[in-house]
Each structure stands twice: as structure tokens, then as C-alpha cells.
Amino acid sequence: MRRRAEAPSSGNEPAVANNKVPDQTRPSQAKVKGSVSYSSVLVNIGKCLLVIILVPPFLNYASLQREGQMLLPKDGQIVDVGLGQKMHLLCKGRGKPVVILDAPTGMSSDVWFHVQENVASLTKVCTYDRMGLGFSKRLMQNETTGTEKVWDMSTTGRMVDDLHRLLGAAGIVGPFVLVGSELGALNSRFYTHIHDVQVSDLVLIDPIPEDIFEEDKWKEYWYSKVVPSFQAKQFSAATGLSRMLIILGAIEPTVKGEDVSEEVIQRQKYLQSNPAHQSAAVDEHYFLNESAAQVRDITKFKPLSSRTSVSMLTGDSFDMQMPEHLNRMVAKLQKRFLEESYPSANHIHIKGADRRMIYKKPSAISQHLRKLVNQRQAKPQSE
């Protein structure tokens, strides 16, 4: 009886055990499945981030290699200026005097497109890319040209030395009408004071006053707003973000219009996506203070010849996007430096213009340059 009574109880034990096992294993299996699916999501997210981070720079780099050859201006030339350096020079038209156009801070020669096309019908007009900008390749840091022992990289002294060697290597002789905007104006002044025999006319467009960086408010604005904005552009170009924004239409070329060729448009987009060009632009802005100091020193050491005429073109403000008190500061300092350095200079006011007048209001600049060229071309006949 005991055996019969015990039999059912022993027979039920496995059944109970079988019922308990699934209850214990189901939560653990759910946890495993949940952890696996969560891990796979993280892996997929990581892959996507890796693609987003790595692919755009590689695609941008590959595109830059192809575009660098295709977009070189057809009429331009890469000139060996010695010391292992090569610079891009673009000349149009024929005749004398030769007009040399020097671009604003951090900009390539394309910004002179309208002015060069207009004035080239009268005489020879040349634009060039400063070292590191446009199609003028900058040497690597471990390479040396020797001149940086005298002038630091990306400063006026070095740029003027580059320009002088460029004109000599290309066989371009004066007299020159030297035209510069912003940093280009500092370069033009420096060049004219050293090589005054070559320069018949000096034209300054929105020049940077020599002592502007002695003003704390300007220095703070320049190094906390302007320089970081160009550093952001350099980072955007290096990561391939600039190219994506250009494709989406968020970034537009500086020089545009119905008469601007598609080649010029594409060339500007190429430079906006080029981290090497953007790096040189950052350096020019960062060392602008030193460039201004170099010009101040050279003008005191070697005054300008009375044979060289000077004219300055300014708009209603230096930069319409800049705070008004800074615009007033620049205008005041520009007036003072003109009175002290070039008292006989012709000051021309362009209504409704600022430092973007080169490509926003180019006709006013072209008109003034054509007038100067006509005067110089008429002098030999009258004499």
C-alpha cells in the first residue's frame, strides 16, 4: 500500500519539475535576445557614424585631386619663382602700364574677375594667387625657402618677396598700376615703397589702417569672431562638410552673375572645399596684425617717391555686417593714416559699398582704373 501510495507522488514530481523549468528559462532567454538586439543596434549606429565621419573626407579628397587639374584657368600659368615654389598667374590684355591686382585677405584671384575682364580691353591686367591660396601651392612646413628667416610665413614681407620673384620669373616689367584690397593693400604699399621705380600708381581699396590692432575692441573682434569663423571653414572643408553644403545649396560662390562662366563658379566651389586653401586663409587673417606692423616699419624706413600717385577707394562702411562702432573706428583710422602717410592722395567714396565692392560694385573700381590707365597712356604722347 505504501508503494502504491508513493507511486503517484513520485510520478508527479517530474511533471512539476517540467512545468517549472520553462518558467525559469524564459526570462533569461528574453534577456539574451534583448541584449543581442541592443548590441546590434549599437553596432549599426557605429557603422553609420563611421561612414558619415570617414566617407565624406575621402570623397572630398578624391574630388579635389581631379578638380585641381580640370579647373586650372585656361589662360593661367604656373610659374616657377625659385626656392622650390610655384605660383599661379593669370594675365589678360596687352599694353602698358601693367595693372597688378592683389586680392583681399584669404581670397583667391577669382574675386577680381569682373574688374580684370573690364580693364583688360585697355591694357595688360594680371592677377595671381598668393602662396597657399587658389592654385599657388604652399610648401610643407619641413621645407624651407630661406625667406622665412627674414619674414614669417603668411605676412606681407614674405608675400611681397613672392610677388617680386613672380613678376621677374614671368618676365613682366613695369610701369605697374598696383591695386590692392585689405591685405592686398598692405602688400601693394609695401611693394611700392621698396620698388617705387616700378610703380606709377598705387590704388588702395578698403585698406587696413596700420594701427588698427592697437585698438582693444578691434583686436577682440578680429581674434574672437573673424579668425574663428575661418577656422570653422577650414574644419568644414577638411571633413567634407563644405562640399555637402555646396551640393545642398547652403554655400554659394562669392563671385556670381549672368556674365560669370560656369568654370569660374566651379573653381570657387573647389576652393571652398579645399582645406589647403582654407588653411592659408586662416593664416593670413591670424598674422594680419604682424603684416600691418611690417608695413608701418617699411613706410618709415623708406618714404614713397613723389612720382607715384596714390588713390584710396572706400565705401559707406568697411563691412556692413560688422558692428557700427567698429566701422566708425576703421573710417577714422583710415582717414588719419591717409593724411599722415599719403597727404596728396585722391580719396574716392563709393556710395552704397563696403569691402565687398570688388565683386559687388566692380564697375566703380574698373572706371577708376581705366581713367588711370588712359592718363598714363596719354602722357608719352603729350611729352
Side-chain angles (χ1 to χ4, degrees), residues 39-149:
S39 300
S40 63
V41 170
L42 289 178
V43 170
N44 290 332
I45 292 175
K47 289 180 179 178
C48 291
L49 290 175
L50 196 64
V51 169
I52 293 172
I53 293 172
L54 295 181
V55 171
F58 279 112
L59 292 178
N60 185 52
Y61 178 79
S63 299
L64 291 174
Q65 299 306 304
R66 175 176 53 85
E67 294 166 349
Q69 298 296 326
M70 293 175 53
L71 296 175
L72 182 68
K74 297 181 179 64
D75 299 329
Q77 55 180 318
I78 302 298
V79 181
D80 188 340
V81 299
L83 303 175
Q85 299 178 108
K86 294 182 179 180
M87 299 181 69
H88 171 242
L89 176 71
L90 176 62
C91 294
K92 295 187 177 184
R94 299 178 63 183
K96 295 262 182 94
V98 181
V99 178
I100 309 294
L101 304 174
D102 205 335
T105 320
M107 292 189 173
S108 71
S109 54
D110 276 328
V111 295
W112 293 110
F113 173 80
H114 297 292
V115 175
Q116 186 173 30
E117 292 290 324
N118 188 292
V119 182
S121 61
L122 277 182
T123 190
K124 187 172 186 175
V125 184
C126 297
T127 60
Y128 76 105
D129 291 328
R130 293 189 292 268
M131 205 62 69
L133 297 176
F135 293 90
S136 293
K137 185 179 178 181
R138 183 162 59 175
L139 294 178
M140 300 298 290
Q141 291 183 356
N142 60 348
E143 299 180 61
T144 178
T145 65
T147 54
E148 65 267 21
K149 296 177 181 178

